[in-house]
Each structure stands twice: as structure tokens, then as C-alpha cells.
Amino acid sequence: MKNIVILISGRGSNMQAIVEAAIPNIRIAAVLSNNENAAGLAWAAERSIATDSLNHKRFSSRLEFDQAMMEKIDAYQPDLVVLAGFMRILTPEFCRHYEGRLINIHPSLLPAFTGLHTHERAIEAGCRIAGCTIHFVTPELDCGPVIAQGAVPVFDDDTADTLAARVLKVEHQLFPQAVADFAAGRLKIIGNRVVRSPSAKLESQLLA
Ligand code: GAR
């Protein structure tokens, strides 16, 4: 059984997709947040999942917050820490502490559009394809080894909201699969690449 701790900052729809996927051999040990009012915390608590929050505004530095968060996370002895809409830039100390067992979902086809407002920026740049990326986290923002990517078309009349909704559907398919692959020991990091063993090809999707 692998212990999974999921970090969220708001709605938590990706966390819900992971919980509802009922992945074999994993236990959702806790859902934690930097925002005590995150809607996803209430959703998890209703399902008897342990929840907790730490308000980052109460800490005088990013490192102090990350250290306090690490203590909370480590109490659950996680095999995997999942960032599912956790809207914090992480310190190198945090990233190194969970090296190889920390994954994130980002709403763009990395390495394009790291950071915020990804859908708006993809539309403004005239992209015909947008998507999401699940990757291992390294100290450099949105740059770690890629586990899976999903792509969707960008339509002429898209707004950031319509594109976000199309991408989110793909996020909900790919993220539980990535967690299942990790839990089953199928993901190997080689340099900056992830290889899925024993022989299956990594999932990538182009969805209408
Ligand atoms: C998701 O679209 C996720 O890709 C994005 O936040 C949203 C969270 O939604 N993550 C980031 O932007 C990370 N930089 P959710 O709370 O409903 O899962």
C-alpha cells in the first residue's frame, strides 16, 4: 500500500479525480492546503479523508512555511506527494526533500507557458494546441521530468475559461493514471526523462 498526500489550494477537482479513480494499492493519507477555505478540503473531509491546512500568510518566509508543511506531510509517511492545484512556489529545500516522489500538474504543454495564466497566454500566442503536463518536481519552476501530457485543440472563439474547461477534462483523465503508474513502480527517471517500464509507451493524448 502506498501512502499519498495531496496538496491543494482551492477547488480540488484534480484531487477528486484521483480519489474517485480508486487506484489499486494506494491510500489517500491526507489532503492538505495552504488555504483553510479551499473547497476541496471540505469535499475530502466529507469522505473521511484526513485534512489539514496551514496559512502561508502566518509565516515570515517561504522556507519557514515549507518546513512547517513538510512536517505536516511527513507525519503521514508519504510514498508520493501530489500537487493538485497547489498554487505555491516551492523552495529548493522542499523539492529536494521529496525528490523523486513529488509530482505536479501544470495547465500547459511544458516547456511552453510555465507560471500563471497559461490558457490566456496560449490563446494570445496563437497556439492551435494547448494542454496539460504532469511532471516530477525539481527546484526549477515547472521544469521537472515529464510523466504525461494531454493536448486539446484551441478554437478561434476560445476564451481562457472555455480552453481551461477543455484542458481540465484531460487533466482528470491523465492525473489518476500517472498516480497509478507511480504507485505500481512503472515510472523510472532517467536524466530529465521519464521512462515507463516494463515496455508500455507513455500515454499522450490528443482529444477533441
Ligand atoms: C488545474 O487546472 C491545475 O492544472 C492548475 O490549477 C488548477 C487546479 O484545479 N495548476 C496550476 O496552475 C499549477 N501551477 P483544481 O483545484 O480543480 O484541481
Side-chain angles (χ1 to χ4, degrees), residues 5-179:
V5 172
I6 305 179
L7 270 53
I8 64 170
S9 290
R11 178 177 58 184
S13 71
N14 276 290
M15 175 273 295
Q16 294 177 26
I18 292 166
V19 170
E20 287 178 335
I23 298 162
N25 301 320
I26 75 159
R27 178 173 156 266
I28 309 294
V31 176
L32 307 178
S33 183
N34 61 316
N35 167 16
E36 64 187 356
N37 298 316
L41 282 183
W43 185 93
E46 277 165 23
R47 280 149 190 85
S48 306
I49 297 169
T51 60
D52 206 349
S53 64
L54 259 189
N55 185 344
H56 59 272
K57 291 180 191 143
R58 299 219 178 99
F59 293 83
S60 53
S61 74
R62 200 173 278 285
L63 183 57
E64 272 177 44
F65 169 78
D66 277 7
Q67 279 167 339
M69 197 47 125
M70 282 189 255
E71 260 182 48
K72 279 207 184 291
I73 296 169
D74 288 347
Y76 297 98
Q77 301 185 311
D79 297 290
L80 175 66
V81 178
V82 174
L83 306 177
F86 188 60
M87 304 304 284
R88 297 273 313 158
I89 292 176
L90 300 165
T91 55
E93 287 80 358
F94 186 100
C95 297
R96 281 194 209 105
H97 184 68
Y98 298 109
E99 195 177 346
R101 55 185 177 125
L102 179 62
I103 66 175
N104 178 49
I105 189 154
H106 183 76
S108 78
L109 294 171
L110 292 173
F113 308 119
T114 60
L116 297 174
H117 310 300
T118 53
H119 303 303
E120 211 172 294
R121 287 158 62 209
I123 291 169
E124 271 167 22
C127 296
R128 305 312 326 195
I129 291 176
C132 61
T133 303
I134 296 155
H135 63 97
F136 282 100
V137 175
T138 55
E140 203 181 341
L141 181 70
D142 299 329
C143 277
V146 170
I147 298 166
Q149 290 186 305
V152 301
V154 180
F155 298 128
D156 289 344
D157 59 355
D158 263 330
T159 62
D161 286 346
T162 59
L163 181 55
R166 196 173 306 122
V167 171
L168 193 66
K169 280 192 197 158
V170 183
E171 296 185 30
H172 295 167
Q173 292 173 17
L174 285 189
F175 215 0
Q177 182 62 53
V179 172

